[in-house]
Amino acid sequence: MSTPFSPRLIKGGLVLVDPDTAQVQRVIALQYNAESLRRELKGQESGEAGTDRAEPTRFKGVALETISFEADLDATDQLEFPDQHASAVAHGLAPQIALLESLSQPSSAQLRKVNSQASSGMLEIAPMLAPLLLLVWGAGRVIPVKLASFSVTEQAFDPALNPIHAKASFGLRVLTVDDLGFASKGGALFMSHLQNREQLAAKAQPVSLATLGVTGI
């Protein structure tokens, strides 16, 4: 049971930001924080164009980072209080799932606009602009990302076959200044994220060569 001395639960989640104005468009909080977060960093090697020869002491750019996690969705608690959660009673988890799915594709309005432009004979149609997506995992990790993959397993249903329990899987690619540029809001957020990691690295306890069983290099 929560007490006045219990720590406030911080939820992880996703934030949609206008890429031009940096205005927050929508906040999506995870119902339950993921039990694990998998991060993979792949360094970019610098080498001669068209060859496999690498320059081992040079960086080509920032590492390519991917993040994956699973999140549980459950409408059971809401269904216990139907008067307070009419949407859950009528649709189960379908609205939450539809919202997450919308992160991976353009809207119907955008598709209609592109079709209209194509029908009018426009020779060049600009790619459809998506909001800037941020993964927020505590105050120290606000990271611009792109949704590379999303899957959902609907595991239980109400009598109308609305999903009431589901597991969502996210695959994210971190967007860097190489993708976003230094002058953009996303680029500034990535640089802040990188600097936070550097500050954490500086706090790691140093060790001597003797710890590794050698006296010199």
Side-chain angles (χ1 to χ4, degrees), residues 80-92:
E80 291 182 359
F81 304 96
D83 294 339
Q84 302 174 27
H85 302 282
S87 178
V89 173
H91 308 291

Side-chain angles (χ1 to χ4, degrees), residues 29-174:
L30 299 179
Q31 186 178 6
Y32 305 105
N33 287 337
E35 294 182 358
S36 64
L37 196 73
R38 185 176 188 275
R39 301 171 56 237
E40 180 178 358
L41 283 79
K42 182 178 180 182
Q44 296 192 63
E45 294 183 348
S46 179
E48 297 178 8
T51 73
D52 294 329
R53 183 177 178 183
E55 297 182 74
T57 58
R58 294 182 183 271
F59 289 122
K60 183 180 179 181
V62 294
L64 304 176
E65 181 178 0
T66 56
I67 301 173
S68 57
F69 62 92
E70 291 187 339
D72 287 320
L73 305 175
D74 197 323
T76 304
D77 292 342
Q78 292 93 318
L79 294 176
E80 291 182 359
F81 304 96
D83 294 339
Q84 302 174 27
H85 302 282
S87 178
V89 173
H91 308 291
L93 293 171
Q96 291 94 317
I97 293 173
L99 175 59
L100 295 173
E101 289 173 348
S102 71
L103 302 177
S104 64
Q105 58 190 353
S107 68
S108 58
Q110 288 176 307
L111 291 173
R112 283 195 295 268
K113 181 179 179 181
V114 168
N115 181 65
S116 176
Q117 292 172 334
S119 299
S120 66
M122 291 187 65
L123 297 179
E124 184 176 352
I125 300 174
M128 291 169 280
L129 185 63
L132 175 63
L133 183 64
L134 306 177
L135 172 66
V136 180
W137 204 264
R141 283 199 277 189
V142 180
I143 313 169
V145 297
K146 180 180 180 64
L147 184 63
S149 63
F150 172 76
S151 65
V152 60
T153 303
E154 300 177 3
Q155 298 173 318
F157 303 89
D158 66 12
L161 294 184
N162 293 309
I164 57 174
H165 186 77
K167 185 179 291 291
S169 299
F170 298 83
L172 308 174
R173 182 175 73 82
V174 173

